[in-house]
Amino acid sequence: MNTYNMVKQRFIKKWINTLHMLDSSIEHPLNVTERKNAIRLSSDLAIAAARSGATVWSRALISRSGNKTTNKPMARRILKKARNRIKNRCSTLRRNGNFTAKVGVRKRTELLKSLVPGGELIDDKDYLIRETLDYIVYLRAQVDVMRTVAAVDLVTGNLTNDRRNK
Amino acid sequence: MDLTGGFGARSSGVGPGREPIGLESLHLGDEFRQLVTTLPPENAGGSFTALLELPPTQAVELLHFTDSSSSQAAAVTGIGGEIAPPLHSFGGTLAFPSNSVLMERAARFSVIATEQQNGNISGETPTSSVPSNSSANLDRVKTEPGETDSSQRLISDSAIENQIPCPNQNNRNGKRKDFEKKGKSSTKKNKSSEENEKLPYVHVRARRGQATDSHSLAERARREKINARMKLLQELVPGCDKIQGTALVLDEIINHVQSLQRQVEMLSMRLAAVNPRIDFNLDTILASENGSLMDGSFNGTPMQLAWPHQAIETEQSFHHRQLPPPPTQQWPFDGLNQPVWGREEDQADGNDNSNLMAVSENVMVASANLHPNQVKMELISYKIHIRFEAMELDDQINIFCVETSNPSAVTKSEYPSCRCPRLE
């Protein structure tokens, strides 16, 4: 319980930062889709930053998100850094024992690789599972926090409208 | 950078003493205000890297963390066998079971890795906990990719990560990250693990009656590692326990990840639809000084109590795009129901009493639509929360998280009330 809360806390902190950064660097006004993309981008960056780039998925997420924000030169720097680390990671993962993969498992691991950011670069199934586990934790934290914030916004919105309508 | 320093100092301050529902001292609400108000101006691209390397790396914090983790490790290993995660049906609701222990275990894994990846230097504590986890090191030693790339020296096979200097203690620290469930009783000793730091070979001790061929040993080690991780993944993903076979478990995991990603998409769409601003008041929400987010048992209700106050401020801040400094509030509270109804609401916001009354009025407004039991609960919780003072950001977030970590069943029950019809 303690640690999951800490995960969420870190996520919230980063999310505040990324929202601010994104908000000041994007020109307004925006339509709903762009806003949604911006929010999604900011929260993805936040979970990746909360993971501090120590996992493949977080770095891949950063590099993937870096492509979407063209007006952030700093993101490009991060992108380069992430790419390098991912390359290094690939070469270290080559040394494994042989493992037998059955057809069904094989297909599913391919699918999982496509889901987890940066998964395609991972050869070791064991490592892939570890990455997935970590990614799930942070995804869930993201969902929990966003859901709560959305609910809060709903309440606030209702009450604000109530006051306005009086 | 200024931000980094600020974060580090603050977090280290609260690290050792943090409790989930801590009501204590902390009063650095203005520090958070500072942070939030200075953040937009400092918003140059440079802050992004600062963002990434932000997590604090205080030795004391790590020390405390490793202490608690090692004790938790023992506890979890003891009870690991009998923990049956509550299985909620995954399909119907969006409610995830609050497998607190599992999430904790899994999250601790990542948190420990994060902590020690950031260059911690304290090493004395981990050594005590290493023997208990040395069994895990058996498998850990061989392939060590992952979170600890920057500090883990035990990647005996890999020669790439050697350029980052790190004391030996860090390796022992890194080995502590494991799924405590994996309490295998192999006879690997510490000193052999130390040898592994320098030698390119893995020293693995075979169990009785098993082949000592290096290939089969390596394969066995990998297989055991994979199986243990699959088991943990199984527990993390709801509904996976009853499934046998790797392929089906992977199916469930894939479904889980896909659904989580879809949820994130939907939630971000929802947030975008509600607010015209991108940084939708998340900071005002968290800067709420009343700390009414307390007490997880009251889940949705405290939110409804807190946000009315925010609704007042939000209207003004909405147009100004800046955060009003949240006034510290003491809410001496005498009786809720009747006297409140009669009060005026059109006083200045700076006035404590008027804030209280306006909030109360909103509470009444909101609760009038609720079930009477819920109203009673709200009143009770309101009274309980009434004495809280301005809390430090970390505690606020703590509470925020505690609240969200409770079973969503309760939170979901609040949703219908959130959509209460407008009052005339």
Side-chain angles (χ1 to χ4, degrees):
Chain A
M1 187 68 135
N2 275 345
T3 323
Y4 185 52
N5 277 345
M6 286 164 67
V7 164
K8 286 200 275 190
Q9 285 167 35
R10 285 212 309 270
F11 168 58
I12 291 182
K13 280 184 195 167
K14 305 288 183 173
W15 201 17
I16 293 178
N17 291 341
T18 48
L19 280 173
H20 277 305
M21 286 198 302
L22 222 50
D23 197 27
S24 65
S25 71
I26 287 189
E27 57 289 337
H28 294 271
L30 304 170
N31 60 7
V32 177
T33 313
E34 285 168 355
R35 277 211 307 272
K36 179 211 77 164
N37 289 339
I39 290 179
R40 176 83 202 262
L41 177 68
S42 74
S43 76
D44 282 346
L45 281 176
I47 58 171
R51 198 56 186 86
S52 310
T55 51
V56 174
W57 69 260
S58 62
R59 291 196 293 273
L61 201 52
I62 291 172
S63 71
R64 187 191 287 180
S65 309
N67 288 332
K68 301 187 182 155
T69 63
T70 52
N71 51 357
K72 293 174 73 66
M74 197 48 60
R76 242 172 272 133
R77 272 225 308 253
I78 308 296
L79 176 69
K80 266 190 230 148
K81 188 162 83 168
R83 277 207 185 123
N84 287 338
R85 293 176 91 171
I86 289 181
K87 277 206 203 107
N88 286 343
R89 183 50 28 87
C90 269
S91 45
T92 55
L93 285 177
R94 293 281 166 189
R95 350 170 105 268
N96 303 318
N98 43 348
F99 64 96
T100 60
K102 303 186 179 119
V103 175
V105 173
R106 181 61 138 199
K107 285 206 188 117
R108 284 171 178 86
T109 47
E110 296 296 322
L111 185 52
L112 187 60
K113 282 184 190 179
S114 70
L115 277 183
V116 174
E120 302 88 4
L121 309 163
I122 303 175
D123 297 320
D124 187 5
K125 185 172 92 164
D126 159 49
Y127 186 50
L128 175 68
I129 292 177
R130 189 206 291 200
E131 282 284 311
T132 310
L133 183 61
D134 202 74
Y135 183 52
I136 285 179
V137 172
Y138 278 80
L139 259 189
R140 199 186 278 193
Q142 189 181 13
V143 165
D144 276 346
V145 169
M146 286 178 86
R147 190 189 297 154
T148 311
V149 172
V152 161
D153 269 343
L154 204 52
V155 173
T156 314
N158 277 346
L159 292 169
T160 312
N161 287 330
D162 288 347
R163 290 181 61 84
R164 278 213 210 101
N165 291 341
K166 285 197 183 136
Chain B
M1 190 165 172
D2 177 43
L3 281 180
T4 317
F7 261 121
R10 205 178 58 243
S11 304
S12 69
V14 290
R18 180 188 313 195
E19 296 297 333
I21 311 192
L23 292 194
E24 45 236 271
S25 36
L26 323 168
H27 12 263
L28 308 177
D30 42 15
E31 193 175 321
F32 172 58
R33 246 174 282 137
Q34 250 175 38
L35 168 75
V36 168
T37 51
T38 57
L39 197 44
E42 291 206 30
N43 205 356
S47 55
F48 195 65
T49 33
L51 190 79
L52 284 187
E53 283 121 19
L54 217 38
T57 68
Q58 307 300 325
V60 174
E61 186 176 345
L62 176 70
L63 195 58
H64 170 81
F65 189 85
T66 54
D67 274 337
S68 61
S69 296
S70 57
S71 60
Q72 281 171 358
V76 171
T77 328
I79 61 178
E82 61 213 81
I83 289 187
L87 289 183
H88 299 244
S89 71
F90 185 56
T93 72
L94 293 183
F96 293 118
S98 61
N99 305 339
S100 44
V101 182
L102 301 166
M103 292 301 293
E104 169 191 15
R105 261 190 277 147
R108 188 184 316 132
F109 175 81
S110 60
V111 171
I112 293 178
T114 312
E115 294 275 354
Q116 59 118 17
Q117 182 253 350
N118 290 323
N120 63 76
I121 49 177
S122 98
E124 58 273 20
T125 322
T127 53
S128 60
S129 57
V130 165
S132 67
N133 299 326
S134 60
S135 57
N137 302 335
L138 172 78
D139 306 14
R140 199 70 36 182
V141 172
K142 210 167 151 288
T143 61
E144 269 308 355
E147 312 83 18
T148 63
D149 59 341
S150 60
S151 56
Q152 176 66 268
R153 281 314 123 236
L154 288 181
I155 310 180
S156 43
D157 315 73
S158 80
I160 295 198
E161 335 277 357
N162 282 337
Q163 57 270 25
I164 306 173
C166 226
N168 275 348
Q169 279 83 2
N170 278 348
N171 305 331
R172 291 192 217 109
N173 205 5
K175 284 189 281 191
R176 266 189 53 253
K177 58 165 184 69
D178 59 338
F179 309 124
E180 286 78 5
K181 240 187 92 163
K182 249 175 67 167
K184 289 196 283 287
S185 61
S186 70
T187 59
K188 186 143 168 62
K189 300 221 172 43
N190 264 357
K191 63 173 178 62
S192 55
S193 68
E194 286 181 33
E195 293 167 13
N196 286 331
E197 293 166 7
K198 302 170 185 110
L199 301 177
Y201 296 108
V202 177
H203 295 272
V204 169
R205 207 160 290 201
R207 286 195 272 263
R208 182 188 173 82
Q210 290 182 330
T212 54
D213 182 32
S214 69
H215 285 301
S216 58
L217 271 182
E219 191 176 334
R220 191 180 317 122
R222 283 198 74 255
R223 250 183 305 171
E224 284 166 354
K225 217 183 347 174
I226 293 182
N227 285 341
R229 296 248 176 75
M230 290 289 296
K231 257 187 265 171
L232 194 64
L233 256 185
Q234 248 178 327
E235 291 175 0
L236 194 64
V237 175
C240 249
D241 279 16
K242 307 290 189 326
I243 300 178
Q244 297 300 328
T246 308
L248 298 176
V249 169
L250 278 180
D251 254 350
E252 282 300 321
I253 291 165
I254 287 171
N255 287 339
H256 194 67
V257 170
Q258 273 173 341
S259 74
L260 280 175
Q261 284 175 340
R262 262 184 255 128
Q263 278 182 45
V264 170
E265 193 77 22
M266 277 183 348
L267 282 171
S268 60
M269 175 58 107
R270 195 158 133 203
L271 285 172
V274 167
N275 290 277
R277 299 166 57 184
I278 292 186
D279 57 337
F280 41 89
N281 301 335
L282 180 62
D283 25 354
T284 51
I285 285 173
L286 283 174
S288 154
E289 76 291 358
N290 45 22
S292 300
L293 291 181
M294 267 310 291
D295 218 7
S297 58
F298 290 119
N299 281 333
T301 54
M303 282 199 301
Q304 294 184 18
L305 301 178
W307 307 146
H309 177 68
Q310 282 316 115
I312 305 169
E313 294 193 358
T314 311
E315 289 186 49
Q316 297 141 13
S317 66
F318 190 163
H319 306 291
H320 300 318
R321 272 201 156 214
Q322 71 188 8
L323 310 168
T328 52
Q329 272 196 352
Q330 304 264 358
W331 293 356
F333 190 73
D334 39 0
L336 189 52
N337 300 336
Q338 303 313 329
V340 172
W341 276 114
R343 305 291 179 108
E344 302 294 330
E345 60 163 332
D346 48 1
Q347 298 173 14
D349 262 359
N351 194 340
D352 282 352
N353 282 338
S354 74
N355 272 339
L356 171 63
M357 291 317 133
V359 173
S360 321
E361 202 228 15
N362 275 332
V363 167
M364 291 307 120
V365 160
S367 53
N369 298 313
L370 299 175
H371 194 276
N373 284 343
Q374 280 177 330
V375 174
K376 211 184 294 189
M377 229 171 64
E378 273 196 48
L379 298 185
I380 296 172
S381 65
Y382 197 75
K383 280 187 196 173
I384 291 177
H385 303 160
I386 215 71
R387 298 249 188 279
F388 294 167
E389 305 176 358
M391 302 177 82
E392 199 245 347
L393 167 66
D394 285 334
D395 277 346
Q396 290 176 9
I397 295 183
N398 232 334
I399 294 161
F400 195 81
C401 294
V402 165
E403 179 156 326
T404 60
S405 63
N406 278 294
S408 339
V410 184
T411 315
K412 282 186 76 62
S413 72
E414 299 298 338
Y415 278 161
S417 59
C418 289
R419 299 192 183 95
C420 54
R422 311 273 171 82
L423 275 200
E424 304 310 322

